[in-house]
Amino acid sequence: MDASPSAPAATRPGRAAPRAAAPAGPPRPALEAPTEPVVPDRPSLDGLEDTWAARWDADGLYRFDRSAERAHVYSVDTPPPTVSGSLHVGHVFSFTHTDTVARYRRMRGYAVFYPMGWDDNGLATERRVQNFFGVRCDPSVRADPDFAPPESPPKDPVPVSRPDFVQLCHRLTAEDERAFEATWRHLGLSVDWSLMYTTVSDEARRISQRGFLRLLAQGHTYLAEAPTQWDIDFQTAVSQAEMEDREISGAYHRLRFGRDGHEALEIETTRPELLPACVAVVAHPDDARYAPLFGTSVTTPLFSVRVPVLAHPLADPDKGSGVAMVCTFGDVTDVTWWRELQLPTRTLVGRNGRLHPVAWGDPGWESDDAAGARAAYGELEGRSVTQARKRIVELLAEAGALVGEPRTITHPVKFYERGERPLEIVSSRQWYVRTMPLRPRLLERGRELRWHPPHMVHRYESWVEGLNGDWNISRQRFFGVPFPVWYPVDGEGEVDYERPLVPVEARLPVDPSDDVPDGYRQDQRGIPGGFVGDPDVMDTWATSSLTPQIAGRWEDDPDLFGRVFPMDLRPQSHEIIRTWLFSTVVRSELEHGVLPWSDVAISGWVLDPDRKKMSKSKGNVVTPMALLEQHGTDAVRYWAACGRPGVDTAFDEAQMKVGRRLAIKVLNASKFALGRLAGAPIPDAGAVVAPLDLAMLSGLAAVVEDATSAFEAYDYARALERTETFFWSFCDDYLELVKTRAYEDSFAPGPVSARAALAVALSVQLRLLAPFVPFVTEEVWSWWHEGSIHRAPWPGVDELSPAQHQGDVAVLDMVASVLGAVRKAKADAQVSMRAPVATLSVLDSPERLALLRQAEPDLCDAGGVAELVLREGAPEVIVDLA
RNA sequence: GGGCGUUUAGCUCAGUUGGUUAGAGCAGCUGGCUUACAACCAGCAGGUCGGGGGUUCGAGUCCCUCAGCGCCCACCA
């Protein structure tokens, strides 16, 4: 509701009581007096984007006022788009939603902190750089001071050094970012470009590294050698949040395990190639079939390795034969069994996805037939997982250890979301953030957040509840934020991972592959008694989880940070709740002990007309700039703003055409209204006395209240819908009804009332529409105001006084319905709407006729009615055309 | 397997605590150059509100159940 202290909390019969006192907001901006209207002869939408975007920039219109106190600040944790190509229509959609909210808050008087960031850190960028230039990062290549990328991408990628590769990343992202910014300006996003940040900048790297060091100092992060989900193509570890299931085809292979003096034990597996890595077989503790075997051992075929038969509740009696073989590591269940049953480790698959050499017969690789195992493994070693699978099936069949034919199935397998081959689990050393102990707290925090729409909280909760391990933040990649850590090398040349060397915060950002830890010299790198730098970079989310801190310049500018953090709004799409939203909550909780924002607004996806998510791979992506130029920005924004919060919305050019019509209507209706106001001082709302005018303003007051409460609830779409509906009936009915009276060259109360009502109604409606169609409303506002509409106050019902106390909406409704009957009669008679009506007879109740009497002349003028007869009777309208 | 959302006119969608004959836009059809707007205006037609059951004086709205579609999560041998 209106926060202005001058706004009377008036209650009227039949209207809901004012809502509970709004939280202390900023003072309402003053509404400047209009100037003499100057209306173009032929108003047009063409070129408005360029004109006004340049003007807003020159005027610093959206500059954040950093002197504002926290209670008067509205801060937005804008999602930084990934710089790996181009923006798409989904960005336009969701960023428009946020922009309408930011514009609303600004008009409410808030100092809006609305930055833009570019996420140019990470694998997506590496991939784009590789393809764009035709290069491949090879850390073993030495940096070339005269390095230049190939003129055009060659067939075979050119290996380049890590520093040169990173330079190319910077170069390409900088180009992309310029194009992105141009698109956003054309879209009219009201961001403060002086707050722009990138996730690979020195500032972002400093904050990211500082955040890591704080986690380390407080024991929230640790280094561990452990089974790790590994992408064999990208050659990097992957966290749970970056994994997805894909249904692929596989096959059950039934294998025969030897038992001394007994019939063979049959087990089924989809990964027979991991048989050499088998460390146990398990069955369910309650499975009577296998209970006698618990505690005994069986022997693997081909490799003759004795493995124990163990009981574990995760074994499913209904799956396969009810016995599973445990390998290190075939899947995450193997990891669980390995950990909980304290099984030995026999790793097979290397980081390149091939089976590495194994010392059969040595400790850890004992076999009853080491020579046989060596021979069998010789057929597999060096092969890829799929090749090895094919070969071992042949070997098993030859050995008579394969029962029947493999049964083809389709089953879900874990993939890296960007990857092309199934993830393998390898043992590796990684940095982890302790999220598991935090889960109950994180669930509480999730419930404290205000979610828009509310049901999105379920996605967060199911994610947190389903976490199965701490957050792995190490990535074995090149273009990212390095870990600010070195390790001492002892006299034997062994790296001591237990005592990492860290820099003081004042040194950040550092690159440990280039910089030297305090107390060491560069020539001690990699030698006994010296040091080595941590070779990895952080997970992209380890940096992106700090966007509130980066945008708010945490520690670098404490005054600013104190005014914007915790932030008010996190806008984002639902697909990254488990990554960006979750990780941001984690970091804020660990570092600051608070939620990073009070509200989160989740936008839906843009679907193509076939109801599929729009994506590049389907080739159905329309570039935003082309769209904006074709339909006009306001039209595209209108389409976007019609998409309900959190609801997937069809890409619909027809809806953009509707938006364009609305924008044109705003021009034309304004031209009409303001044309009547030229040449004399514009009367204010106090001059509105005609019942029809008061009725219209009363209706508008209800729209203002509705639009305001909708925006407060982040339902921009409802605010637009209510405003738009009113605006069209305002044009179709009210403007037609008052046209004649407003044209009258007179200062009698009637004509003055009409002109005052037009001025007030236009002013209020333009401001209600400004967050949605910022260009056309600014254009029209400029015809009769000095300043920008986007710094004008959001309308309050007090502006429509005294109308809200005296108006009766029923007057306008009644008159409009009779006018509608007149129009229908003319349409039925196939005559012009201008055709005269000799006699218009209205039969109705005395009460309704009384409503009509209050606007008799307006009705007759609008309908071309010569004689109006009002009679009591059963409701009927008789139109007697001349 | 668990969960969330969704299903209203040919299409895209409103429908806020249950309350007259269920609304809008687009597309369609019929007319109209009307000094704000022909990039316009007026009018018409079009729906057993996914199926079934229940609560109620009254259900698109609340409850149960089934189905379709979409998504999220899951230990996937």
Side-chain angles (χ1 to χ4, degrees):
Chain A
M1 273 316 99
D2 197 322
S4 165
S6 64
T11 49
R12 290 186 297 143
R15 181 172 295 282
R19 298 188 315 156
R28 186 175 169 187
L31 179 58
E32 60 172 306
T35 56
E36 165 91 22
V38 178
V39 183
D41 287 341
R42 184 93 186 128
S44 163
L45 299 177
D46 295 339
L48 293 186
E49 291 90 347
D50 290 340
T51 304
W52 288 111
R55 177 68 179 278
W56 295 335
D57 190 42
D59 292 351
L61 192 67
Y62 306 122
R63 190 68 54 84
F64 173 62
D65 173 11
R66 61 170 298 163
S67 70
E69 59 181 275
R70 181 64 188 86
H72 298 172
V73 168
Y74 186 80
S75 47
V76 181
D77 185 17
T78 315
T82 304
V83 184
S84 62
S86 56
L87 295 169
H88 55 79
V89 69
H91 286 115
V92 168
F93 182 67
S94 58
F95 277 74
T96 296
H97 298 164
T98 307
D99 188 60
T100 64
V101 171
R103 287 180 180 277
Y104 162 74
R105 291 285 171 171
R106 194 176 292 109
M107 293 175 80
R108 288 294 304 263
Y110 286 90
V112 174
F113 181 79
Y114 187 15
M116 184 58 61
W118 305 125
D119 188 11
D120 40 17
N121 153 26
L123 254 179
T125 301
E126 286 189 21
R127 273 237 282 222
R128 172 155 160 78
V129 167
Q130 286 168 5
N131 296 335
F132 188 88
F133 292 109
V135 297
R136 158 175 78 77
C137 183
D138 184 344
S140 68
V141 173
R142 307 213 7 219
D144 175 0
D146 302 320
F147 172 76
E151 292 284 328
S152 59
K155 257 190 197 136
D156 295 319
V158 179
V160 302
S161 72
R162 174 168 158 164
D164 292 329
F165 185 76
V166 169
Q167 273 314 307
L168 290 180
C169 289
H170 282 299
R171 178 168 141 187
L172 190 59
T173 54
E175 271 178 40
D176 287 342
E177 284 156 17
R178 275 193 294 279
F180 282 23
E181 180 174 335
T183 301
W184 279 162
R185 286 179 182 275
H186 207 79
L187 183 60
L189 294 189
S190 61
V191 305
D192 179 351
W193 288 100
S194 72
L195 303 173
M196 199 262 282
Y197 67 86
T198 70
T199 57
V200 286
S201 65
D202 283 353
E203 293 78 16
R205 280 179 11 245
R206 177 163 61 240
I207 287 169
S208 185
Q209 292 187 335
R210 180 189 298 135
F212 172 80
L213 291 179
R214 297 279 177 97
L215 290 177
L216 183 61
Q218 295 166 54
H220 297 311
T221 184
Y222 61 93
L223 187 64
E225 169 92 27
T228 311
Q229 294 284 355
W230 187 268
D231 187 285
I232 58 178
D233 293 310
F234 286 103
Q235 298 268 305
T236 183
V238 168
S239 70
Q240 187 183 354
E242 295 167 305
M243 297 189 289
E244 63 184 24
D245 286 356
R246 289 185 206 162
E247 292 279 341
I248 63 168
S249 65
Y252 275 121
H253 303 76
R254 201 170 184 97
L255 309 188
R256 217 172 251 139
F257 278 52
R259 283 176 67 200
D260 293 336
H262 291 84
E263 203 175 306
L265 177 68
E266 294 183 355
I267 68 109
E268 288 203 326
T269 178
T270 55
R271 302 210 51 186
E273 74 278 11
L274 293 181
L275 178 63
C278 180
V279 290
V281 297
V282 294
H284 194 275
D286 300 336
D287 194 331
R289 292 171 296 175
Y290 303 108
L293 276 64
F294 293 145
T296 69
S297 65
V298 292
T299 308
T300 61
L302 296 182
F303 302 96
S304 306
V305 175
R306 287 186 177 278
V307 295
V309 183
L310 301 172
H312 194 280
L314 277 184
D316 184 349
D318 297 328
K319 222 170 255 179
S321 62
V323 191
M325 78 175 186
V326 184
C327 305
T328 54
F329 299 95
D331 61 25
V332 290
T333 316
D334 280 344
V335 176
T336 305
W337 282 324
W338 169 79
R339 191 176 54 235
E340 296 187 4
L341 300 172
Q342 303 191 343
L343 298 169
T345 309
R346 289 185 195 124
T347 67
L348 223 53
V349 181
R351 297 187 176 195
N352 57 2
R354 292 177 181 275
L355 272 56
H356 58 56
V358 163
W360 289 103
D362 286 3
W365 293 93
E366 292 86 356
S367 165
D368 290 350
D369 175 12
R374 262 192 294 276
Y377 195 74
E379 298 288 318
L380 309 176
E381 187 182 316
R383 292 183 189 246
S384 71
V385 166
T386 45
Q387 290 167 340
R389 182 176 310 161
K390 198 173 162 201
R391 183 66 186 129
I392 200 170
V393 170
E394 293 166 358
L395 296 176
L396 286 164
E398 288 166 15
L402 184 66
V403 183
E405 286 295 309
R407 283 191 295 121
T408 306
I409 55 161
T410 301
H411 62 155
V413 173
K414 294 269 182 237
F415 279 72
Y416 174 39
E417 59 191 356
R418 299 173 186 280
E420 286 166 6
R421 289 196 279 179
L423 289 168
E424 292 296 336
I425 297 175
V426 304
S427 187
S428 65
R429 183 175 289 103
Q430 310 280 340
W431 283 100
Y432 293 89
V433 174
R434 289 184 212 280
T435 49
M436 293 302 276
L438 211 54
R439 284 195 298 169
R441 186 76 187 119
L442 294 175
L443 287 171
E444 277 175 39
R445 287 300 193 200
R447 285 189 284 269
E448 287 169 27
L449 253 183
R450 288 194 293 263
W451 295 78
H452 310 281
H455 69 256
M456 288 293 177
V457 72
H458 297 299
R459 304 207 175 191
Y460 174 85
E461 290 185 338
S462 63
W463 171 251
V464 175
E465 285 163 0
L467 284 175
N468 57 26
D470 285 337
W471 173 19
N472 177 351
I473 55 169
S474 299
R475 294 295 177 275
Q476 289 66 46
R477 299 300 303 179
F478 320 107
F479 191 57
V481 179
F483 285 87
V485 168
W486 301 265
Y487 307 100
V489 178
D490 68 16
E492 310 297 313
E494 290 293 316
V495 177
D496 180 2
Y497 292 103
E498 300 298 312
R499 297 187 299 122
L501 305 165
V502 298
V504 294
E505 287 189 6
R507 280 191 67 187
L508 302 178
V510 299
D511 183 349
S513 67
D514 210 29
D515 297 316
V516 176
D518 290 330
Y520 288 86
R521 298 182 314 275
Q522 189 66 269
D523 61 11
Q524 291 178 283
R525 185 182 295 275
I527 63 170
F531 69 93
V532 292
D534 190 301
D536 294 344
V537 298
M538 293 184 207
D539 172 15
T540 187
W541 299 111
T543 299
S544 297
S545 57
L546 296 171
T547 50
Q549 289 85 347
I550 294 169
R553 309 200 63 213
W554 173 49
E555 297 279 301
D556 292 343
D557 188 343
D559 176 76
L560 176 69
F561 192 65
R563 291 173 200 271
V564 302
F565 185 88
M567 296 200 170
D568 293 276
L569 177 65
R570 156 60 71 90
Q572 64 163 80
S573 63
H574 47 63
E575 70 207 356
I576 53 175
I577 287 174
R578 70 175 186 173
T579 49
W580 192 37
L581 189 144
F582 168 76
S583 62
T584 310
V585 171
V586 168
R587 299 304 292 274
S588 182
E589 176 66 24
L590 290 177
E591 181 58 40
H592 309 283
V594 296
L595 271 177
W597 348 264
S598 59
D599 292 78
V600 53
I602 303 293
S603 59
W605 281 339
V606 176
L607 307 176
D608 70 17
D610 298 333
R611 310 299 302 175
K612 295 281 190 292
K613 188 195 175 190
M614 277 204 156
S615 66
K616 263 183 197 169
S617 59
K618 296 205 197 71
N620 56 7
V621 166
V622 186
T623 68
M625 206 52 150
L627 206 58
L628 296 176
E629 281 167 356
Q630 183 188 346
H631 298 280
T633 292
D634 285 338
V636 177
R637 288 176 61 107
Y638 170 87
W639 158 75
C642 285
R644 263 40 210 185
V647 176
D648 293 346
T649 300
F651 178 76
D652 186 358
E653 295 197 77
Q655 198 68 358
M656 296 175 198
K657 292 187 175 129
V658 174
R660 188 171 178 86
R661 270 178 14 110
L662 173 66
I664 292 171
K665 198 72 172 178
V666 168
L667 285 179
N668 288 321
S670 301
K671 177 184 165 190
F672 166 74
L674 293 175
R676 305 281 65 72
L677 299 174
I682 296 175
D684 64 24
V688 180
V689 293
L692 186 78
D693 304 337
L694 291 167
M696 183 275 292
L697 292 187
S698 276
L700 182 53
V703 173
V704 167
E705 289 189 331
D706 218 2
T708 303
S709 54
F711 258 125
E712 287 294 320
Y714 290 89
D715 192 349
Y716 49 83
R718 179 178 171 81
L720 171 58
E721 186 191 41
R722 292 284 284 128
T723 303
E724 183 200 9
T725 301
F726 184 89
F727 177 67
W728 279 104
S729 59
F730 171 82
C731 291
D732 295 344
D733 296 330
Y734 179 76
L735 286 188
E736 293 300 326
L737 285 163
V738 296
K739 194 179 275 186
T740 307
R741 181 155 53 92
Y743 266 110
E744 261 180 59
D745 193 10
S746 146
F747 291 97
V752 170
S753 173
R755 295 196 285 265
L758 285 177
V760 173
L762 183 65
S763 170
V764 167
Q765 289 179 92
L766 286 173
R767 281 176 284 144
L768 289 174
L769 289 169
F772 305 103
V773 284
F775 291 102
V776 73
T777 50
E778 182 76 315
E779 169 70 12
V780 170
W781 195 254
S782 75
W783 296 346
W784 58 319
H785 290 87
E786 294 291 337
S788 170
I789 192 172
H790 302 298
R791 286 286 183 183
W794 182 252
V797 291
D798 58 315
E799 290 181 49
L800 298 163
S801 299
Q804 62 163 331
H805 302 297
Q806 298 176 9
D808 182 353
V809 184
V811 173
L812 181 53
D813 290 346
M814 180 67 197
V815 176
S817 79
V818 174
L819 182 60
V822 172
R823 285 170 177 158
K824 177 166 163 49
K826 291 180 180 179
D828 287 348
Q830 304 201 342
V831 297
S832 161
M833 284 300 132
R834 263 188 109 188
V837 174
T839 308
L840 172 62
S841 308
V842 181
L843 286 77
D844 215 316
S845 66
E847 296 76 25
R848 287 167 59 81
L849 291 178
L851 295 172
L852 215 48
R853 281 199 186 88
Q854 298 183 57
E856 252 187 73
D858 290 335
L859 175 61
C860 292
D861 287 337
V865 176
E867 188 191 4
L868 177 63
V869 179
L870 304 182
R871 264 204 333 260
E872 286 183 35
E876 189 181 0
V877 177
I878 302 160
V879 181
D880 182 11
L881 295 167

PDB file of all heavy atoms in Angstrom, chain A residues 178-194:
ATOM      1  N   ARG A 178      30.347  -7.421 -24.420  1.00  0.00           N
ATOM      2  CA  ARG A 178      29.910  -6.173 -25.054  1.00  0.00           C
ATOM      3  C   ARG A 178      28.594  -6.380 -25.803  1.00  0.00           C
ATOM      4  O   ARG A 178      27.694  -5.548 -25.752  1.00  0.00           O
ATOM      5  CB  ARG A 178      30.992  -5.662 -26.016  1.00  0.00           C
ATOM      6  CG  ARG A 178      32.062  -4.819 -25.324  1.00  0.00           C
ATOM      7  CD  ARG A 178      32.929  -4.076 -26.344  1.00  0.00           C
ATOM      8  NE  ARG A 178      33.733  -4.974 -27.156  1.00  0.00           N
ATOM      9  CZ  ARG A 178      34.890  -5.505 -26.748  1.00  0.00           C
ATOM     10  NH1 ARG A 178      35.372  -5.211 -25.566  1.00  0.00           N
ATOM     11  NH2 ARG A 178      35.564  -6.324 -27.532  1.00  0.00           N
ATOM     12  N   ALA A 179      28.503  -7.520 -26.485  1.00  0.00           N
ATOM     13  CA  ALA A 179      27.271  -7.804 -27.231  1.00  0.00           C
ATOM     14  C   ALA A 179      26.100  -8.016 -26.263  1.00  0.00           C
ATOM     15  O   ALA A 179      24.981  -7.550 -26.505  1.00  0.00           O
ATOM     16  CB  ALA A 179      27.467  -9.043 -28.104  1.00  0.00           C
ATOM     17  N   PHE A 180      26.368  -8.701 -25.171  1.00  0.00           N
ATOM     18  CA  PHE A 180      25.306  -8.929 -24.173  1.00  0.00           C
ATOM     19  C   PHE A 180      24.792  -7.596 -23.631  1.00  0.00           C
ATOM     20  O   PHE A 180      23.587  -7.385 -23.491  1.00  0.00           O
ATOM     21  CB  PHE A 180      25.859  -9.751 -22.994  1.00  0.00           C
ATOM     22  CG  PHE A 180      25.990 -11.223 -23.270  1.00  0.00           C
ATOM     23  CD1 PHE A 180      26.102 -11.711 -24.556  1.00  0.00           C
ATOM     24  CD2 PHE A 180      26.011 -12.134 -22.220  1.00  0.00           C
ATOM     25  CE1 PHE A 180      26.237 -13.067 -24.808  1.00  0.00           C
ATOM     26  CE2 PHE A 180      26.138 -13.495 -22.453  1.00  0.00           C
ATOM     27  CZ  PHE A 180      26.261 -13.960 -23.751  1.00  0.00           C
ATOM     28  N   GLU A 181      25.731  -6.732 -23.314  1.00  0.00           N
ATOM     29  CA  GLU A 181      25.333  -5.455 -22.723  1.00  0.00           C
ATOM     30  C   GLU A 181      24.466  -4.658 -23.689  1.00  0.00           C
ATOM     31  O   GLU A 181      23.467  -4.053 -23.298  1.00  0.00           O
ATOM     32  CB  GLU A 181      26.570  -4.649 -22.318  1.00  0.00           C
ATOM     33  CG  GLU A 181      26.204  -3.315 -21.688  1.00  0.00           C
ATOM     34  CD  GLU A 181      27.422  -2.554 -21.147  1.00  0.00           C
ATOM     35  OE1 GLU A 181      28.435  -3.207 -20.817  1.00  0.00           O
ATOM     36  OE2 GLU A 181      27.325  -1.318 -21.067  1.00  0.00           O
ATOM     37  N   ALA A 182      24.849  -4.692 -24.964  1.00  0.00           N
ATOM     38  CA  ALA A 182      24.058  -3.961 -25.954  1.00  0.00           C
ATOM     39  C   ALA A 182      22.632  -4.501 -25.992  1.00  0.00           C
ATOM     40  O   ALA A 182      21.657  -3.745 -26.082  1.00  0.00           O
ATOM     41  CB  ALA A 182      24.710  -4.079 -27.329  1.00  0.00           C
ATOM     42  N   THR A 183      22.500  -5.826 -25.896  1.00  0.00           N
ATOM     43  CA  THR A 183      21.159  -6.420 -25.916  1.00  0.00           C
ATOM     44  C   THR A 183      20.358  -5.993 -24.685  1.00  0.00           C
ATOM     45  O   THR A 183      19.191  -5.625 -24.784  1.00  0.00           O
ATOM     46  CB  THR A 183      21.269  -7.953 -25.962  1.00  0.00           C
ATOM     47  OG1 THR A 183      21.988  -8.326 -27.130  1.00  0.00           O
ATOM     48  CG2 THR A 183      19.892  -8.596 -25.978  1.00  0.00           C
ATOM     49  N   TRP A 184      21.003  -6.041 -23.546  1.00  0.00           N
ATOM     50  CA  TRP A 184      20.282  -5.660 -22.312  1.00  0.00           C
ATOM     51  C   TRP A 184      19.859  -4.201 -22.334  1.00  0.00           C
ATOM     52  O   TRP A 184      18.774  -3.845 -21.860  1.00  0.00           O
ATOM     53  CB  TRP A 184      21.159  -5.926 -21.095  1.00  0.00           C
ATOM     54  CG  TRP A 184      21.208  -7.334 -20.587  1.00  0.00           C
ATOM     55  CD1 TRP A 184      22.161  -7.837 -19.757  1.00  0.00           C
ATOM     56  CD2 TRP A 184      20.280  -8.411 -20.802  1.00  0.00           C
ATOM     57  NE1 TRP A 184      21.892  -9.155 -19.459  1.00  0.00           N
ATOM     58  CE2 TRP A 184      20.748  -9.530 -20.086  1.00  0.00           C
ATOM     59  CE3 TRP A 184      19.102  -8.544 -21.533  1.00  0.00           C
ATOM     60  CZ2 TRP A 184      20.095 -10.761 -20.070  1.00  0.00           C
ATOM     61  CZ3 TRP A 184      18.442  -9.761 -21.540  1.00  0.00           C
ATOM     62  CH2 TRP A 184      18.945 -10.831 -20.820  1.00  0.00           C
ATOM     63  N   ARG A 185      20.712  -3.353 -22.882  1.00  0.00           N
ATOM     64  CA  ARG A 185      20.326  -1.944 -22.952  1.00  0.00           C
ATOM     65  C   ARG A 185      19.134  -1.778 -23.890  1.00  0.00           C
ATOM     66  O   ARG A 185      18.229  -0.993 -23.628  1.00  0.00           O
ATOM     67  CB  ARG A 185      21.507  -1.093 -23.442  1.00  0.00           C
ATOM     68  CG  ARG A 185      22.590  -0.904 -22.388  1.00  0.00           C
ATOM     69  CD  ARG A 185      23.733  -0.071 -22.948  1.00  0.00           C
ATOM     70  NE  ARG A 185      24.816   0.105 -22.001  1.00  0.00           N
ATOM     71  CZ  ARG A 185      24.849   1.068 -21.069  1.00  0.00           C
ATOM     72  NH1 ARG A 185      23.859   1.939 -20.976  1.00  0.00           N
ATOM     73  NH2 ARG A 185      25.873   1.170 -20.245  1.00  0.00           N
ATOM     74  N   HIS A 186      19.157  -2.548 -24.969  1.00  0.00           N
ATOM     75  CA  HIS A 186      18.047  -2.463 -25.912  1.00  0.00           C
ATOM     76  C   HIS A 186      16.766  -2.995 -25.280  1.00  0.00           C
ATOM     77  O   HIS A 186      15.668  -2.549 -25.597  1.00  0.00           O
ATOM     78  CB  HIS A 186      18.382  -3.259 -27.182  1.00  0.00           C
ATOM     79  CG  HIS A 186      17.674  -2.765 -28.407  1.00  0.00           C
ATOM     80  ND1 HIS A 186      18.087  -1.662 -29.105  1.00  0.00           N
ATOM     81  CD2 HIS A 186      16.564  -3.223 -29.037  1.00  0.00           C
ATOM     82  CE1 HIS A 186      17.261  -1.456 -30.121  1.00  0.00           C
ATOM     83  NE2 HIS A 186      16.326  -2.392 -30.110  1.00  0.00           N
ATOM     84  N   LEU A 187      16.927  -3.960 -24.387  1.00  0.00           N
ATOM     85  CA  LEU A 187      15.760  -4.503 -23.691  1.00  0.00           C
ATOM     86  C   LEU A 187      15.278  -3.539 -22.606  1.00  0.00           C
ATOM     87  O   LEU A 187      14.182  -3.689 -22.066  1.00  0.00           O
ATOM     88  CB  LEU A 187      16.108  -5.863 -23.072  1.00  0.00           C
ATOM     89  CG  LEU A 187      14.997  -6.613 -22.354  1.00  0.00           C
ATOM     90  CD1 LEU A 187      13.829  -6.921 -23.294  1.00  0.00           C
ATOM     91  CD2 LEU A 187      15.512  -7.903 -21.736  1.00  0.00           C
ATOM     92  N   GLY A 188      16.096  -2.543 -22.301  1.00  0.00           N
ATOM     93  CA  GLY A 188      15.676  -1.548 -21.327  1.00  0.00           C
ATOM     94  C   GLY A 188      15.791  -2.006 -19.889  1.00  0.00           C
ATOM     95  O   GLY A 188      15.070  -1.510 -19.029  1.00  0.00           O
ATOM     96  N   LEU A 189      16.685  -2.941 -19.622  1.00  0.00           N
ATOM     97  CA  LEU A 189      16.877  -3.344 -18.226  1.00  0.00           C
ATOM     98  C   LEU A 189      17.407  -2.149 -17.435  1.00  0.00           C
ATOM     99  O   LEU A 189      18.356  -1.496 -17.871  1.00  0.00           O
ATOM    100  CB  LEU A 189      17.874  -4.506 -18.127  1.00  0.00           C
ATOM    101  CG  LEU A 189      17.438  -5.828 -18.742  1.00  0.00           C
ATOM    102  CD1 LEU A 189      18.428  -6.923 -18.373  1.00  0.00           C
ATOM    103  CD2 LEU A 189      16.036  -6.215 -18.284  1.00  0.00           C
ATOM    104  N   SER A 190      16.813  -1.912 -16.285  1.00  0.00           N
ATOM    105  CA  SER A 190      17.186  -0.717 -15.522  1.00  0.00           C
ATOM    106  C   SER A 190      18.321  -1.015 -14.559  1.00  0.00           C
ATOM    107  O   SER A 190      18.267  -0.651 -13.391  1.00  0.00           O
ATOM    108  CB  SER A 190      15.961  -0.167 -14.785  1.00  0.00           C
ATOM    109  OG  SER A 190      15.447  -1.120 -13.865  1.00  0.00           O
ATOM    110  N   VAL A 191      19.344  -1.706 -15.061  1.00  0.00           N
ATOM    111  CA  VAL A 191      20.481  -2.014 -14.205  1.00  0.00           C
ATOM    112  C   VAL A 191      21.412  -0.810 -14.138  1.00  0.00           C
ATOM    113  O   VAL A 191      21.428   0.031 -15.034  1.00  0.00           O
ATOM    114  CB  VAL A 191      21.269  -3.251 -14.690  1.00  0.00           C
ATOM    115  CG1 VAL A 191      20.365  -4.447 -14.833  1.00  0.00           C
ATOM    116  CG2 VAL A 191      21.977  -2.962 -15.998  1.00  0.00           C
ATOM    117  N   ASP A 192      22.164  -0.770 -13.067  1.00  0.00           N
ATOM    118  CA  ASP A 192      23.198   0.246 -12.911  1.00  0.00           C
ATOM    119  C   ASP A 192      24.480  -0.352 -13.469  1.00  0.00           C
ATOM    120  O   ASP A 192      25.122  -1.174 -12.830  1.00  0.00           O
ATOM    121  CB  ASP A 192      23.342   0.592 -11.421  1.00  0.00           C
ATOM    122  CG  ASP A 192      24.428   1.624 -11.192  1.00  0.00           C
ATOM    123  OD1 ASP A 192      25.173   1.946 -12.141  1.00  0.00           O
ATOM    124  OD2 ASP A 192      24.532   2.119 -10.049  1.00  0.00           O
ATOM    125  N   TRP A 193      24.835   0.072 -14.665  1.00  0.00           N
ATOM    126  CA  TRP A 193      25.983  -0.547 -15.344  1.00  0.00           C
ATOM    127  C   TRP A 193      27.297  -0.255 -14.650  1.00  0.00           C
ATOM    128  O   TRP A 193      28.294  -0.928 -14.893  1.00  0.00           O
ATOM    129  CB  TRP A 193      26.019  -0.131 -16.813  1.00  0.00           C
ATOM    130  CG  TRP A 193      24.931  -0.807 -17.577  1.00  0.00           C
ATOM    131  CD1 TRP A 193      23.731  -0.283 -17.945  1.00  0.00           C
ATOM    132  CD2 TRP A 193      24.927  -2.183 -18.008  1.00  0.00           C
ATOM    133  NE1 TRP A 193      22.969  -1.241 -18.587  1.00  0.00           N
ATOM    134  CE2 TRP A 193      23.680  -2.406 -18.642  1.00  0.00           C
ATOM    135  CE3 TRP A 193      25.833  -3.230 -17.927  1.00  0.00           C
ATOM    136  CZ2 TRP A 193      23.321  -3.637 -19.183  1.00  0.00           C
ATOM    137  CZ3 TRP A 193      25.486  -4.462 -18.471  1.00  0.00           C
ATOM    138  CH2 TRP A 193      24.234  -4.652 -19.090  1.00  0.00           C
ATOM    139  N   SER A 194      27.319   0.725 -13.780  1.00  0.00           N
ATOM    140  CA  SER A 194      28.569   0.994 -13.067  1.00  0.00           C
ATOM    141  C   SER A 194      28.851  -0.096 -12.029  1.00  0.00           C
ATOM    142  O   SER A 194      29.941  -0.179 -11.486  1.00  0.00           O
ATOM    143  CB  SER A 194      28.502   2.364 -12.387  1.00  0.00           C
ATOM    144  OG  SER A 194      27.624   2.326 -11.278  1.00  0.00           O
TER     145      SER A 194
END
